[in-house]
Amino acid sequence: MIFFQMACLKPFLSVYFKSIDLSYSVIGLLSAISPIAGFFGAPILGSLADKFHAHKLVLLVTYALGVILDFSLMFQTSPTTIAITIVTGSFCSSALTPILDAGIINFLGPEKKALYGFQRLWGSVGWGIASALVGIIAFQTDIRSYFFCALAAGIPTWFLILMFPLGYENNEKTDLPLFPRLYQLFCTQTMPLLSFLFVVFIAGNAYGVISVFLFVVLKDLGGDDILLGISLSTTVSTEIIFFIFSERILNKLGVKITLALSLVTYIVRLVYYGLLSSPWWVLPAELLHGLTFAAMWAACVKHGSDIAPPGLAATMQGIVSGVWSGLGRSFGNILGGQLYSHFGAKWMFMITAAWAAFGLTFFFMSTQLIECLGHRRQKRLEKIF
């Protein structure tokens, strides 16, 4: 239900901003500040939830505030006021993904982490149903329907969060304050962690450009709200398939290859969008979304859980979510807005594809370097002992 509620409004905000005559640059900046707020909010709120063992309370309070603030955007037209509301709402909403993801991992236990995708796919089901339904409703009524649908879905969702356990009931507490815990995380595996977070950042860049500007491009090409809903439903369908098979994918390929394959697929999608001339031809490319998002995110959640110190599950997931949704998406939003304004849609997608190719190359080289250094260190230890 949480993802159902989010899909009622989040994917259509850029279209709404365009309808109130905001420029592409302003849309890019407004879209960018949301993930920036999430970059700070996700690890801070996740860490506070871990610290005080108050995951459900944090989730209930922040979710309610996020729904209310999102609905209030319908009554605002000033970019400054909209920006303030987005920052506050996004800071609150950023707690959802890391707390829920870490809770799912706790439910599954250490031996079944790769089964995360089977649980997460229900979020994709809700997202797909809502996006298609709301697209049809908006087509029959007007664009404000997105806000009313999001509010209507948010109320029962809050009560569902209140009623059901989140998986932290037996989680161990930690007495370390926030910054020493973050220091502990980053000092245990500095180079592998930074390499991992870098590819998460690049994936967030690509997702940020696509999620904000693809619908705007489709509208400019003559697409309607029904196409937008079908497009979202298509991406979600592939999400579900890849979440179902995420355990097999991760067991066979591993985290590193899965992440690299995700970046390769992002490059293909971006180039395809750059060559798009008819809105309905967007649908074949949407079939690749499962690999670029579902497989990638399952790998990120599993790896984040693997490297998280005891008692810091939500904190680590908050950092991963913050880098992807915060730094990554915000940079993608800003980059997309500036490229769209100065060079048009085609070169926006093409330049973003080139940037993703650079990220893929850097990830490959850094991974090889880390493995090489690891082998050398192991040989030195063997000589000593």
Side-chain angles (χ1 to χ4, degrees):
M1 280 297 293
I2 288 177
F3 287 93
F4 182 97
Q5 186 273 331
M6 292 170 62
C8 291
L9 178 61
K10 299 293 186 182
F12 304 101
L13 272 178
S14 59
V15 177
Y16 171 74
F17 292 150
K18 184 69 167 58
S19 73
I20 58 176
D21 297 325
L22 298 182
S23 68
Y24 294 127
S25 295
V26 172
I27 292 173
L29 290 173
L30 289 176
S31 301
I33 60 175
S34 173
I36 289 175
F39 170 72
F40 292 101
I44 290 174
L45 294 174
S47 184
L48 289 174
D50 280 338
K51 169 69 176 177
F52 298 104
H53 207 62
H55 301 88
K56 178 171 284 192
L57 177 61
V58 171
L59 200 59
L60 286 169
V61 173
T62 56
Y63 181 72
L65 289 173
V67 170
I68 293 170
L69 289 167
D70 282 347
F71 183 74
S72 71
L73 288 171
M74 184 176 65
F75 307 102
Q76 301 172 24
T77 56
S78 167
T80 302
T81 309
I82 292 173
I84 294 172
T85 304
I86 288 176
V87 167
T88 309
S90 298
F91 184 92
C92 294
S93 300
S94 65
L96 293 173
T97 299
I99 291 179
L100 289 174
D101 283 345
I104 292 173
I105 294 295
N106 286 336
F107 263 128
L108 295 173
E111 302 299 324
K112 297 182 178 180
K113 291 179 181 180
L115 292 173
Y116 162 83
F118 281 100
Q119 309 301 317
R120 176 59 176 80
L121 70 87
W122 294 107
S124 299
V125 171
W127 188 281
I129 294 173
S131 58
L133 182 63
V134 173
I136 294 172
I137 293 173
F139 181 77
Q140 297 294 332
T141 55
D142 62 61
I143 201 166
R144 293 177 298 175
S145 302
Y146 298 135
F147 295 94
F148 288 107
C149 289
L151 180 63
I155 295 172
T157 301
W158 189 89
F159 283 100
L160 287 175
I161 296 173
L162 179 65
M163 292 169 56
F164 289 98
L166 296 179
Y168 292 92
E169 288 69 25
N170 298 317
N171 209 28
E172 76 176 86
K173 297 182 181 180
T174 176
D175 294 324
L176 285 174
L178 173 62
F179 290 107
R181 283 190 286 165
L182 296 179
Y183 181 81
Q184 178 186 4
L185 282 173
F186 278 93
C187 286
T188 52
Q189 305 180 57
T190 305
M191 288 185 64
L193 179 60
L194 291 178
S195 177
F196 165 63
L197 292 178
F198 179 75
V199 74
V200 172
F201 170 76
I202 295 294
N205 297 163
Y207 185 92
V209 171
I210 293 171
S211 64
V212 171
F213 294 102
L214 178 60
F215 279 5
V216 176
V217 172
L218 295 179
K219 281 283 190 177
D220 288 345
L221 291 173
D224 54 28
D225 291 314
I226 291 180
L227 172 61
L228 303 190
I230 293 174
S231 173
L232 277 175
S233 297
T234 303
T235 60
V236 168
S237 298
T238 63
E239 269 188 37
I240 294 171
I241 294 172
F242 274 87
F243 274 132
I244 290 174
F245 292 101
S246 61
E247 180 191 18
R248 296 183 185 180
I249 294 171
L250 290 174
N251 289 337
K252 189 171 184 64
L253 300 180
V255 170
K256 294 177 183 177
I257 295 179
T258 302
L259 292 175
L261 189 58
S262 173
L263 283 184
V264 171
T265 313
Y266 261 128
I267 294 169
V268 173
R269 285 184 72 185
L270 288 162
V271 171
Y272 184 93
Y273 294 145
L275 300 175
L276 198 65
S277 59
S278 175
W280 284 91
W281 277 103
V282 74
L283 297 179
E286 304 305 77
L287 296 173
L288 300 175
H289 176 75
L291 188 53
T292 55
F293 175 72
M296 181 277 300
W297 192 246
C300 289
V301 170
K302 181 183 182 300
H303 189 64
S305 176
D306 289 340
I307 64 178
L312 298 177
T315 304
M316 188 63 229
Q317 297 300 337
I319 291 173
V320 174
S321 179
V323 171
W324 180 80
S325 182
L327 284 181
R329 284 183 59 193
S330 62
F331 182 82
N333 297 156
I334 296 173
L335 176 68
Q338 294 302 314
L339 292 176
Y340 202 156
S341 296
H342 292 89
F343 304 108
K346 176 181 178 179
W347 287 107
M348 174 187 70
F349 288 124
M350 292 298 186
I351 294 173
T352 306
W355 172 239
F358 166 78
L360 176 64
T361 304
F362 181 87
F363 179 62
F364 175 78
M365 294 177 63
S366 64
T367 302
Q368 294 299 311
L369 177 61
I370 291 169
E371 291 180 356
C372 180
L373 293 175
H375 290 317
R376 289 184 180 180
R377 189 180 297 112
Q378 183 65 30
K379 288 182 179 179
R380 289 176 184 173
L381 290 175
E382 289 175 355
K383 289 181 180 179
I384 293 174
F385 296 102

